[in-house]
Amino acid sequence: MTRAFDRNRLADAKPAVLAPLAETPFHPRLAALALTNDWYDWAGFKAPASLADEELEYFAIRSTAALFDLSPMTKYCIAGPDAEAFLNRLTLRDVSKLAVGRVQYTAWCDDEGHVLDDGTLFRLGRDAFRLCCQERHLPWLLDGAARYGVTIADETEAVAGLSLQGPVSCALLRAAGFAGIETLKPFELRAFPHVAGEVVVSRTGFTGDLGYELFCPAEEALSLWDRLAVHGERHRLRVIGYSALNRARIEAGFIVANADFITADTALREDRVRLPDEIGLDWMIDPAKESFNGRRAILAARETGRLRHALVGLEIEGSVPAPLAIVYHRRKREAGLITASTWSPFLKKTIAIASLERPFGVGVVDDLWTEIYALHELAYSKLMKRVKIVPRPFLRLPRRIATPPADI
């Protein structure tokens, strides 16, 4: 039976571009704190860039405790008797080595070895996993799973997430009744009782600091928020937006999909895609692992020297950040592009992540410059600043891995 064409119904339909952004389960609490009204679109969700003061939000990460809404992050539930085999075929790292109750930072590629995304893989049980990432991949995942005994479900909306970061984050969780949280090791996860269900807490984060990520059913989100907020004032807890988090993640040297590299399925030009070795993920690859997406192409590129790019850390002289600035060799020849940059209050330096065209960043590492256009009083000043290649992460904090964390 063919459905009749209804012009009136079509006229009343709201164009997708005008559809309002979705609100996360924590939005009522965020909206009450959003003095700046500074929102942005994160994967179709309304998310805060800042809530009150970006500087204070950053210093909460490094000095006390900071709370960030992770709910818009894409989350897939992957389960079934072949879940391990499927994920081992999909991702770069060896999933058979991932124990139950552990988390693995990983990435996955297309058949040509180009990176599709990076993310975290949580092993919740023998045959149950949660894959968290930046982009949406459900059709591609389902196609790849056709021959495996596995089910894949998008649980982005069903599962709410919070990131609690900072030197007093462990003390706050302990005060909130998460008994034994101080024994949780980096990249370890554990379920804790909450209301009639549970909260899964992992010792992970995107700041390079002591921190945790908490996941619960969306319907229990506000009760989880309030459970933490009760102890927030005593522990100087501050809710933060992405601007502060982004500054901390640059200090930690972490990369962001479609910011520091273009994902293979969104790149419009062939020369925009990246192999794992070209974005600093070469350490993930074990040539002894027999089969994973892109293996043949990745190893062939290594053998034939077809690696064209290098992702590097930079220190920039002066105090002016240089996001999306061009890097030059000897002030003349273009060597690459700065993908992320910030002034680090902790390090008292201007730092950056840059994608350079080889041999720059590998064989050629000296006499590099960047061109910055600094805005002062309605006028731009062109600045040529020397840059120096330095290791990432820029910031290493012993408390990030100390177990148990210091009792603050």
Side-chain angles (χ1 to χ4, degrees), residues 122-273:
F122 297 70
R123 189 157 198 169
L124 306 176
R126 181 178 179 275
D127 298 321
F129 297 82
R130 174 177 293 145
L131 182 64
C132 297
C133 53
Q134 179 74 9
E135 302 298 317
R136 298 295 179 97
H137 302 284
L138 187 57
W140 185 78
L141 290 171
L142 291 172
D143 286 345
R147 293 179 296 172
Y148 292 89
V150 63
T151 60
I152 304 173
D154 188 331
E155 57 181 14
T156 303
E157 295 185 15
V159 175
L162 287 173
S163 179
L164 179 65
Q165 304 286 304
V168 303
S169 55
C170 180
L172 194 156
L173 287 175
R174 194 168 61 247
F178 291 82
I181 190 65
E182 67 279 0
T183 65
L184 201 64
K185 298 177 182 179
F187 289 95
E188 195 171 60
L189 66 87
R190 193 177 304 164
F192 293 85
H194 177 70
V195 191
E198 63 181 24
V199 176
V200 174
V201 181
S202 61
R203 189 168 166 183
T204 50
F206 205 51
T207 63
D209 215 310
L210 172 64
Y212 304 84
E213 293 175 334
L214 298 83
F215 300 91
C216 72
E219 56 270 20
E220 300 295 347
L222 295 183
S223 62
L224 174 60
W225 181 289
D226 294 342
R227 179 178 174 180
L228 300 176
V230 166
H231 305 276
E233 184 175 356
R234 177 188 169 196
H235 291 85
R236 300 294 189 266
L237 176 66
R238 181 177 290 273
V239 182
I240 67 169
Y242 183 73
S243 295
L245 181 73
N246 188 53
R247 182 177 290 189
R249 75 90 182 173
I250 296 173
E251 291 178 329
F254 295 144
I255 59 175
V256 174
N258 288 321
D260 300 297
F261 70 96
I262 303 300
T263 57
D265 57 347
T266 60
L268 299 179
R269 293 177 52 173
E270 187 177 350
D271 61 343
R272 299 296 190 257
V273 293

